[in-house]
Structure formats: C-alpha cells, structure tokens
Amino acid sequence: MTRTAETSPAVNGADLLDRVRAAIVRYSVLPSPEAVDAVTLWIAATHAQEAWAYAPRLVIRAPQRRCGKSRLLDLVEGASFNPLMTVNASPAAVYRSVGAGDSLTLLIDEFDTIFGPKAGGDEDLRGLLNAGHQRGRPTIRYDANTQRVEQIETFCMAALAGIGFAPDTIEDRAVIVKMRRRAADEKVSPWRIKRDRPGMVALGAELRAWLSPNLTVLEAAEPAMPLEDRAADTWEPLIVIADFAGGDWPDRARAAAVQLSGEADRVAVTSDSTRLLVDIRNAFGTDEALPTGMLLARLRADEEAPWATWDKVGLTPIRLASLLREYDIRSSNIRFGGPIGQTKGFRRSDFTDAWSRYCPVTTDSDDNGDWDGSTRPSQDPVPGLSSDGTGGTGGTGTPHPLRLVHSR
C-alpha cells in the first residue's frame, strides 16, 4: 500500500470512534467504560498495522463460561482489519497465514483449550504470539524440499478470548479485558451474525478509509505516554489513534491505559521467584537479619503460599539458595544473639536492591486509581507474618502526559 501524509478532512475521527464504541456496548457489557474505550481503539489500530512497531495483543478473559467473552470477540472480528478467526488451528497453518505477506488480525477463541493446564500449552503458537508483538522478529525454518532456510513474518495484531489467565508472556504484551457475567439489570441487544455483523464490517471499512491514507502521520507520532517500558510499547498504537482522532479521546485513552495496566499488574500471576521475593519481604518484618531456618519457617507459615509444602517436596535451604542466586543474593555466616549464635542466614540489606527492582511496594494512591505511571505496581503483597513490612523504592519518574496537537 502506498503511504501518504494526506489527511481526510471529511472524516471526523472522534465521531467514528464514538460510533464504533456505541456498537460494542449495544451488544456487549464490558467491565468499565475504560475497557470499552480500549477495545474501540484496539479495533481501530488493526487498520493501521503498517504504521506500528508493536502490535498489542488483546486478551479477553473471564472466570467462567457465559461471561460474554466470545460475543465480544465476535464484535472485534467484525470490525477489525482482515480478520482470521481460529479455535484450534495448527501452529504451522497460523505461521503460514501470518507470514503470507498481507496484514491480518489473528483472533483465537477458547485459548484455555490451547494454553490451559489440561492442554499442556502450545509453545510454537505462544512463540508466534510473543515474537509477533514486535516488528522484525521473524521465525526461521528450514525447508527440506528446497533445502533452503526461510524467514516467516510473525508481526500481526492478535486477540484471544478464553477462561482464566492467558500465558503470562502474552498478557505482558496485551490490553487485558476481564469479562464478567451480566447482572439482571444489564441489558444488551441480541446479536445475530447474519443481520448484525455487516454493520460491524461497515464500521471497519470506515476505519480503514480514515486511517490508511495517514499511515505516515501515524508512524511518525511520538505521543506522551502515561506508562513505561513494555506497557508503553503495547499501548502506544492505541494512544496514537486517540490523539489523531481528537475530541476527548486522548484523555480517555490515557485513562484507560493507566487503569487497565494497573488492574493487570495487581492481579497478575507472578513467577515463583517474584512471589518469593515479596513473601521474604513480609517474613522479615522489622528484623534486620534472619537465620535461614527461621526464614523458611516463616515462609511455610502461610498455608496459602506455595512455600507451605516446601519441606514435603524436598525444597530445602539449598533450593532457596538456588532461587535467590539468580538475584545475586547469597547467605552468609551471621552472629545472632542468644542460643542461636553464629549460623547461615540472610540480611535485609541483601534483598533491598532486588525488592526495589522486581517488586516495589505499591502506594495507597495506586489502589485509589490515582497512579500516574511513575512506578510499575507489583502483585499485592501477601499479608505480613510478623509485621506490616517495610517500604521499598518508588522507582523512577515519568513526565506528566502533555496535551498534544491532535491531527484531524
């Protein structure tokens, strides 16, 4: 497609996004207005994939069936650019479809049947979804028939719907919408695919006509971001679209980014090693040093933590030392008072750097929805065993989002 810098004065981008948003809420109940805004902007972003360096994933998940996740995926499919819907396609077929050359939007329903604990996980497909988040990360395959090595493109927008959590590596690259079952007073119009899908397709065509002549403008945009690191990469295309549309969409997009990213961080399933750091911080309480045996005892005292069964499955102080070694934390001989005397243990100061980097303490403002992007919240800590814990570092600052000149 030929890229131009021409604008489309006849198209009111803010009004078009409003109409897409209205169509979504007509057929689906989402958990918050910010979630609706995020899905609307994600759909629009699929029509300008050529302009993006990163392709955010959209994860639509729910705790149980009948929460409307598949219905929302139907709406996304109807309005997205060049959609490819699949439930149980082979990784090879998906790779070939994505790598065929034309931009597409990959949609996967029932991801729990692919990545769930009973499914065993499909590492090839997960690798595609992870690599395809960033442009220029092709997969390399050897074709025995031609005896040649070939590169297959992986970059594309992708949406997944399912029960439970998607793999953490995918959710870390995603806009996450957690659906819930409709309450008795929450009403939507019935969705009939033959009757209603054409309306979503027509809105998608309007989005493409609005955005495709302006790919150069969109690609060159450098929006002020309320997030950092991978979260900023994921949300940038959506915020670029909002800035380009104008109206109140720039403010709404940034509000959605902060809220949904904060919610995702607070409920994220952390790795065992990160959970271990958080629990050790709580186990220390006000102590400046702990013998290894006492630290393990305090960790096991939380019956809901994985460490409660350490002694039953052979996870010993040696295993603890092995996990902590990844963070350059090692035990040492420490002289304690009383009958303990000198023994192996850990000092609080051994952990402060790792705590500040991997599990900074969240503040009350995070929980009140006032987080401004200056820190990346971690999972809510487990309640302290002997104290309320101690504070960590606040991270680095991020400039407050600036209002940009909106392209119309």
Side-chain angles (χ1 to χ4, degrees):
M1 175 177 293
T2 302
R3 298 188 181 191
T4 72
E6 299 175 1
T7 59
S8 303
V11 178
N12 184 323
D15 175 73
L16 177 54
L17 291 179
D18 286 341
R19 288 190 285 119
V20 175
R21 188 186 193 283
I24 293 172
V25 298
R26 178 181 179 184
Y27 301 106
S28 180
V29 175
L30 275 72
S32 68
E34 290 80 8
V36 186
D37 291 342
V39 173
T40 301
L41 292 167
W42 190 91
I43 291 172
T46 68
H47 293 273
Q49 292 185 53
E50 300 92 331
W52 313 135
Y54 294 91
R57 278 67 184 100
L58 175 65
V59 170
I60 305 167
R61 54 175 163 86
Q64 298 182 21
R65 295 177 297 172
R66 296 173 54 202
C67 288
K69 53 184 173 38
S70 295
R71 173 65 68 246
L72 180 56
L73 192 66
D74 286 339
L75 298 170
V76 170
E77 184 273 338
S80 293
F81 177 72
N82 194 17
L84 175 63
M85 178 75 84
T86 177
V87 175
N88 194 23
S90 70
V94 175
Y95 269 102
R96 292 296 178 180
S97 298
V98 173
D102 295 330
S103 297
L104 60 80
T105 305
L106 179 64
L107 302 115
I108 300 174
D109 200 4
E110 299 182 7
F111 68 68
D112 48 295
T113 65
I114 302 173
F115 300 116
K118 295 182 180 180
D122 192 316
E123 293 305 313
D124 284 341
L125 184 56
R126 180 163 71 160
L128 167 67
L129 292 168
N130 291 342
H133 176 255
Q134 182 175 344
R135 191 176 294 279
R137 298 290 179 88
T139 186
I140 300 176
R141 293 288 186 268
Y142 178 72
D143 189 334
N145 293 325
T146 62
Q147 296 186 343
R148 297 178 60 182
V149 174
E150 58 179 351
Q151 294 188 359
I152 304 174
E153 182 58 63
T154 61
F155 184 83
C156 72
M157 300 283 281
L160 303 87
I163 295 173
F165 292 90
D168 55 356
T169 55
I170 295 175
E171 293 209 351
D172 193 39
R173 296 164 168 83
V175 174
I176 300 173
V177 176
K178 183 179 178 181
M179 301 294 286
R180 57 191 180 185
R181 192 166 292 179
R182 282 193 291 120
D185 59 344
E186 293 176 328
K187 305 296 183 182
V188 294
S189 298
W191 167 264
R192 299 291 180 265
I193 190 167
K194 289 186 176 181
R195 180 192 67 195
D196 300 317
R197 185 177 180 276
M200 298 301 298
V201 173
L203 287 171
E206 289 190 59
L207 289 169
R208 186 65 176 178
W210 169 47
L211 295 170
S212 61
N214 298 287
L215 295 176
T216 300
V217 174
L218 298 172
E219 184 176 16
E222 296 182 1
M225 296 296 298
L227 305 172
E228 295 178 326
D229 303 326
R230 180 166 284 161
D233 297 335
T234 295
W235 280 87
E236 185 176 74
L238 279 64
I239 289 180
V240 170
I241 292 290
D243 286 345
F244 189 68
D248 60 356
W249 278 96
D251 292 335
R252 288 161 59 180
R254 289 171 173 82
V258 170
Q259 177 175 311
L260 270 64
S261 293
E263 289 177 359
D265 282 340
R266 283 190 286 272
V267 302
V269 177
T270 61
S271 66
D272 277 353
S273 61
T274 303
R275 171 70 185 268
L276 179 60
L277 288 176
V278 173
D279 286 2
I280 287 175
R281 181 169 56 201
N282 291 321
F284 259 90
T286 58
D287 293 313
E288 293 300 322
L290 287 175
T292 300
M294 185 177 295
L295 175 59
L296 284 171
R298 292 185 180 184
L299 290 172
R300 294 176 186 140
D302 184 354
E303 296 180 354
E304 295 184 359
W307 333 120
T309 59
W310 270 29
D311 55 340
K312 299 177 183 178
V313 295
L315 292 172
T316 64
I318 294 177
R319 177 58 175 159
L320 173 65
S322 177
L323 287 170
L324 294 178
R325 196 173 296 121
E326 294 295 327
Y327 299 98
D328 293 324
I329 298 172
R330 291 172 173 81
S331 63
S332 59
N333 289 317
I334 303 174
R335 184 170 296 280
F336 295 90
I340 297 178
Q342 181 170 299
T343 187
K344 286 282 190 179
F346 296 89
R347 293 181 172 86
R348 174 187 297 279
S349 58
D350 297 332
F351 294 91
T352 52
D353 182 71
W355 286 338
S356 68
R357 294 177 186 274
Y358 299 101
C359 50
V361 174
T362 59
T363 64
D364 290 339
S365 61
D366 296 339
D367 295 333
N368 293 333
D370 297 327
W371 178 58
D372 64 358
S374 59
T375 60
R376 294 298 307 279
S378 66
Q379 182 187 26
D380 289 340
V382 175
L385 299 176
S386 59
S387 77
D388 292 331
T390 58
T393 60
T396 56
T398 299
H400 187 74
L402 305 175
R403 183 172 295 279
L404 304 182
V405 177
H406 305 137
S407 302
R408 296 299 299 273

